Amino acid sequence: MRIRENTQKIVSDLIDGEMMLLNMEAGHYYSLTGTGAALWESIRQGAERAGLLSALQKAFPAQDSQQITEDLDSFLKELVEEELVVECTECANGKPPFEGEYAPPQLAKYSDLQDLLLLDPIHDADESGWPAAAS
Amino acid sequence: MTEISVIMPLYNGETYLAETLESYQRNAFPGVELIVVDDGSTDSSVEILKTKVPSVKLLTQTNGGPSKARNLALQKAEGTYIAFLDADDLWPPGTLEKLHGALSHNLEAGIAQGKIETFASGPVAEQIRHRLKDEPFYGVNLGSSLFKREDLLRMGGLDETLRHGEDTDFWFRCWEEGLEKTLVPHITLRYRLHNHNMTTEAASDAKMLLPLLKKHRDRMRGRTPKSSVSLTEYLGW
């Protein structure tokens, strides 16, 4: 089964090294930790469970394969349950850019601002042509 | 003694600036000062400003963005209270008086907030047309409210690392800190929509929230907001 980001409902972005997701329809927001952020980089465009698993095993050969499989399946199950991903057929099959030590992919869910996020809280205070702030 | 400092960031705002400054002048009373931070305008904005409001305190920075401009002005402000006005928006007559009256008579409150009315100047891009509201509303635009300078300084002003949504982020922090508001049931800001507003789509709007959500989550680790109401209630929505 190939899956990709549920772009109808979800926006996601890497913010200061942390992958953040927002479900605009449900008003929950999420953080992906461990190998979750790199996995999501692939899933955004489209990815297959088998491809993700083999990429994990290849990137972390010292890690117990059974544990990696369980971690990945549990992570993917949560992504599906939270409707963060949808099935796709004609989507890419990317390879996740893993870095560093293995850490189980985890999804942290936040619902403390749900009532607000179901509204439209961004005010466009900007003007066209305002120069980008110096970084 | 300065009672209210009005802070205006300015960047190439010549199209609507004169009208905005007229609305400022209709509101100003003795003890009100205008501080404008020009962010490197290349049009006639600064000339318009000096002609319309000769008493303006003009500061300059180079392409630092609106949050940095507001923070710079905040450092130089002398008023007990601070108001913000963008170079394209308008204050209905009596706005400052109403906000000032409400805040100075409510010792518990740190903010007086009125309603925002949207209006269009010329055609408005399809992507932002939904921002035109039929009814006035309480919103996050800082121009509809009056703040205490000491609170703004204590909270470190606006977050200069945010390119978008810095006003929303500021309200998040006011709510987290339990800063009490007193609501003024009048229109205190006419927010102009025009084709120079940043063009956005719904999805990218939502994407702008992600840095705000992360910052909020980071600040709230191990603690709860001090406000007794939900953020939605706090914002008056």
Side-chain angles (χ1 to χ4, degrees):
Chain A
M1 183 177 89
R2 200 171 281 193
I3 54 171
R4 65 163 169 77
E5 180 179 41
N6 184 357
T7 50
Q8 294 291 315
K9 297 182 179 180
I10 304 299
V11 290
S12 64
D13 209 354
L14 195 62
I15 311 290
D16 296 334
E18 183 175 1
M19 185 61 76
M20 301 291 296
L21 284 71
L22 168 62
N23 183 331
M24 297 175 283
E25 277 197 8
H28 306 297
Y29 61 106
Y30 305 84
S31 159
L32 301 181
T33 54
T35 42
L39 288 167
W40 186 258
E41 291 281 8
S42 298
I43 292 168
R44 263 177 161 178
Q45 305 301 324
E48 239 165 7
R49 176 190 173 276
L52 295 174
L53 182 58
S54 77
L56 278 165
Q57 288 166 333
K58 199 173 160 189
F60 306 104
Q63 199 67 29
D64 176 52
S65 181
Q66 181 62 29
Q67 189 61 52
I68 284 184
T69 309
E70 284 174 20
D71 290 346
L72 177 66
D73 284 344
S74 153
F75 179 67
L76 294 178
K77 184 165 171 273
E78 274 192 288
L79 296 185
V80 171
E81 282 172 357
E82 294 294 327
E83 300 182 19
L84 302 176
V85 293
V86 288
E87 270 191 66
C88 60
T89 47
E90 292 180 12
C91 50
N93 191 9
K95 291 278 175 281
F98 295 117
E99 282 177 6
E101 298 288 306
Y102 179 79
Q106 283 180 332
L107 178 72
K109 179 178 178 178
Y110 305 96
S111 303
D112 62 321
L113 299 180
Q114 188 180 18
D115 54 345
L116 179 83
L117 294 174
L118 293 173
L119 303 170
D120 172 24
I122 279 282
H123 152 67
D124 61 341
D126 204 355
E127 282 86 36
S128 167
W130 196 298
S135 55
Chain B
M1 196 180 128
T2 308
E3 188 69 359
I4 302 175
S5 298
V6 177
I7 290 174
M8 181 187 294
L10 178 63
Y11 177 73
N12 287 350
E14 66 180 5
T15 312
Y16 305 112
L17 182 61
E19 196 185 349
T20 295
L21 293 173
E22 282 160 20
S23 93
Y24 161 78
Q25 280 174 314
R26 281 196 296 273
N27 272 276
F29 49 81
V32 176
E33 65 170 2
L34 177 65
I35 307 178
V36 173
V37 180
D38 179 58
D39 203 6
S41 293
T42 53
D43 67 358
S44 63
S45 294
V46 172
E47 289 80 59
I48 294 171
L49 175 67
K50 286 178 174 169
T51 307
K52 284 274 179 193
V53 187
S55 64
V56 66
K57 271 192 194 172
L58 179 61
L59 308 173
T60 53
Q61 63 174 29
T62 308
N63 298 358
S67 294
K68 196 172 176 187
R70 291 187 183 110
N71 285 346
L72 175 65
L74 183 59
Q75 293 302 325
K76 305 287 181 190
E78 293 179 354
T80 306
Y81 302 100
I82 301 289
F84 296 95
L85 183 61
D86 286 347
D88 52 355
D89 294 337
L90 303 173
W91 276 337
T95 287
L96 275 188
E97 213 169 15
K98 289 187 186 101
L99 292 171
H100 180 251
L103 193 51
S104 58
H105 287 99
N106 187 333
L107 297 178
E108 301 292 309
I111 305 168
Q113 182 182 25
K115 291 183 177 181
I116 299 169
E117 178 184 66
T118 54
F119 71 106
S121 279
V124 173
E126 178 69 35
Q127 292 94 324
I128 57 170
R129 205 165 292 155
H130 68 281
R131 295 185 188 282
L132 272 176
K133 309 287 186 198
D134 293 333
E135 297 291 329
F137 60 100
Y138 293 106
V140 298
N141 192 312
L142 301 175
S144 65
S145 299
L146 187 67
F147 303 88
K148 285 183 179 161
R149 181 164 59 104
E150 60 183 18
D151 289 332
L152 292 173
L153 289 172
R154 182 168 48 83
M155 292 172 61
L158 294 151
D159 188 332
E160 295 178 16
T161 67
L162 289 169
R163 173 92 175 98
H164 303 286
E166 70 281 357
D167 42 12
T168 305
D169 172 78
F170 181 74
W171 286 112
F172 275 33
R173 289 187 283 133
C174 290
W175 171 68
E176 291 162 8
E177 293 302 320
L179 216 55
E180 278 199 37
K181 290 199 308 189
T182 179
L183 295 179
V184 176
H186 299 281
I187 295 165
T188 56
L189 181 71
R190 300 192 69 227
Y191 172 54
R192 187 194 304 266
L193 281 152
H194 51 82
N195 272 348
H196 297 295
N197 290 111
M198 182 178 53
T199 303
T200 57
E201 298 170 1
S204 60
D205 259 9
K207 208 164 184 170
M208 287 174 214
L209 276 171
L210 292 170
L212 276 63
L213 294 171
K214 175 173 158 49
K215 282 171 182 283
H216 162 75
R217 193 278 321 269
D218 289 347
R219 287 191 299 265
M220 287 294 101
R221 281 188 202 276
R223 65 190 197 99
T224 51
K226 290 180 184 167
S227 290
S228 54
V229 297
S230 76
L231 181 53
T232 312
E233 276 180 78
Y234 184 80
L235 293 173
W237 295 358

